[in-house]
Amino acid sequence: MTDRRRFLKTSLLGASASMLAWGGKLAAGPIDRSGKLAAGPAPRTPTTVARVVSTWDFGIAANQAAWTILGKGGHALDAVEFGVQVPESDLKNHSVGRAGYPDRDGHVSLDASIMDADGNCGAVAALEHIAHPIAVARRVMERTPHVLLVGEGALQFALEQGFKKEELLTPESEKAWHEWLKTAKYNPSINSEVHDYGKGGSTGMPGGAHNHDTIGMLAIDAQGRLAGACTTSGMAWKMRGRVGDSPIIGAGLYVDGEVGGATSTGVGEEVIRNAGSFLVVELMRQGRSPHEACKEAVMRIVKKRREASKTIQVGFLAMNRAGEVGAYAIQHGFSYAVCDAKKQDDLIPSQSVYTTSYS
């Protein structure tokens, strides 16, 4: 064997050994002209800190449900799907799920999305007669080649998958709708997900119960796997067929296992216009903390919509792959719940652009 052949054989063997030492994966980044490893994403490493976070006060109960899976070493994807089904089932919650206020024609339609760390995702929009849209969204992700199903097609798919068709308009929501019909004025109310919780009729507050919101949830499990879910009944008294940000991947929810995840709350149109959750994750990729990324995304909306921002709410919640959490909102009053092994009922007020709410 010539020296050249012996050198090549030795080099290949050395490279193979190096790859085995790295777990069979190539080095994280390209090689520059000098032969040195260029800067690239850091290798993924498991975390021992499981954590789940979600939007609003009712996120506490949702987190605790998710923790029954995370606390036992379960998968983050299972945890977020199970967790958000709590507010979907809560008859006192008029911004998520089966007790949601209807559109202006009296129809309750639901939106949801789910996403894992590897980019697998599924969503449904304008789905009627199915109590748990998040479960249908996961079926879309796992049993179809698509990401988003809407309207009658989403309902048809859900029924084919064995979901039960039922009437979602509760007596309380129907009463609130009839109260709204007396004036039929559409005026979204900031932080209604807090003010209207458990109230079936007219709230007597300025603007009334005219805005719906979401629960957005992010989780990281003990193996370092990230996942997120977002589910809503949308804005009350909306135009029939209106869809907000919640089922739009990159708007209401985005997860990247190399970076982290983000979810949004508030007026969905503003989030869609800015691809909000995707923006937050990309800002974290550039080195911002979750809090810094959320703040920058909010300020981008405020800059573009200076006057409108005084009367609307948008907030972002994010968690990076290390389990660090942050949030920011336009209006005062947004809160988020955090749950881990140390504490399962933590509720944290978010920082905001405006320190007093306009509601």
Side-chain angles (χ1 to χ4, degrees):
M1 183 182 294
T2 66
D3 290 342
R4 175 179 173 80
R5 288 180 179 176
R6 185 178 295 108
F7 172 79
L8 290 173
K9 182 177 180 181
T10 303
S11 298
L12 288 171
L13 289 173
S16 299
S18 297
M19 286 183 67
L20 288 173
W22 279 73
K25 298 181 180 179
L26 292 175
I31 304 297
D32 64 20
R33 291 183 179 180
S34 68
K36 296 180 180 180
L37 183 66
R44 292 179 64 177
T45 54
T47 176
T48 56
V49 179
R51 180 167 291 131
V52 56
V53 299
S54 57
T55 56
W56 301 109
D57 306 43
F58 48 74
I60 293 176
N63 285 354
Q64 290 172 345
W67 189 252
T68 64
I69 294 174
L70 287 180
K72 298 176 182 178
H75 201 294
L77 188 66
D78 297 327
V80 296
E81 181 192 5
F82 186 62
V84 300
Q85 289 188 46
V86 171
E88 283 184 340
S89 299
D90 188 352
L91 296 181
K92 295 185 294 182
N93 192 327
H94 300 297
S95 66
V96 178
R98 63 185 306 130
Y101 288 139
D103 60 29
R104 59 189 63 186
D105 296 326
H107 303 275
V108 177
S109 61
L110 308 179
D111 308 324
S113 62
I114 193 167
M115 189 171 189
D116 70 13
D118 298 316
N120 300 306
C121 50
V124 291
L127 174 64
E128 299 182 21
H129 303 297
I130 302 296
H132 290 295
I134 194 64
V136 184
R138 184 167 180 180
R139 295 289 182 90
V140 172
M141 178 182 74
E142 295 180 339
R143 301 188 183 183
T144 81
H146 308 304
V147 170
L148 175 63
L149 295 181
V150 304
E152 288 296 324
L155 176 59
Q156 177 183 336
F157 172 74
L159 296 175
E160 290 172 352
Q161 291 294 308
F163 290 90
K164 179 184 176 182
K165 184 176 182 179
E166 52 190 295
E167 177 57 62
L168 300 183
L169 184 63
T170 64
E172 292 78 11
S173 294
E174 185 174 15
K175 179 181 177 182
W177 174 55
H178 284 296
E179 285 291 316
W180 176 79
L181 286 174
K182 293 177 181 178
T183 58
K185 292 181 180 179
Y186 185 73
N187 182 25
S189 174
I190 296 169
N191 299 336
S192 68
E193 50 289 317
V194 175
H195 303 316
D196 298 339
Y197 185 78
K199 298 178 181 179
S202 176
T203 65
M205 297 182 62
H210 297 161
N211 187 24
H212 269 219
D213 223 278
T214 64
I215 179 165
M217 177 178 285
L218 305 167
I220 186 168
D221 60 33
Q223 287 71 47
R225 298 170 297 203
L226 284 156
C230 190
T231 180
T232 186
S233 52
M235 284 186 171
W237 337 130
K238 62 194 176 187
M239 293 179 66
R240 187 154 168 75
R242 179 266 183 184
V243 173
D245 63 309
S246 298
I248 308 299
I249 299 299
L253 177 69
Y254 196 74
V255 178
D256 186 323
E258 297 291 345
V259 182
T263 189
S264 63
T265 185
V267 179
E269 283 78 1
E270 302 303 327
V271 180
I272 293 172
R273 288 185 180 106
N274 292 274
S277 291
F278 177 79
L279 172 61
V280 171
V281 172
E282 288 306 295
L283 289 169
M284 290 194 294
R285 190 190 306 277
Q286 295 171 17
R288 274 76 156 186
S289 69
H291 170 77
E292 292 168 340
C294 290
K295 182 177 181 179
E296 188 166 337
V298 165
M299 295 309 299
R300 188 168 298 189
I301 295 173
V302 171
K303 182 179 179 180
K304 292 180 179 179
R305 308 274 287 176
R306 178 67 63 178
E307 288 303 313
S309 70
K310 296 177 181 178
T311 58
I312 62 172
Q313 174 69 302
V314 171
F316 292 105
L317 173 64
M319 180 164 62
N320 63 22
R321 57 186 288 236
E324 182 185 3
V325 180
Y328 205 80
I330 296 177
Q331 304 289 342
H332 171 79
F334 172 47
S335 59
Y336 59 97
V338 181
C339 174
D340 55 29
K342 293 182 179 179
K343 188 173 177 61
Q344 283 81 55
D345 60 353
D346 209 7
L347 185 66
I348 302 172
S350 170
Q351 292 185 20
S352 60
V353 177
Y354 302 112
T355 57
T356 57
S357 176
Y358 280 77
S359 60

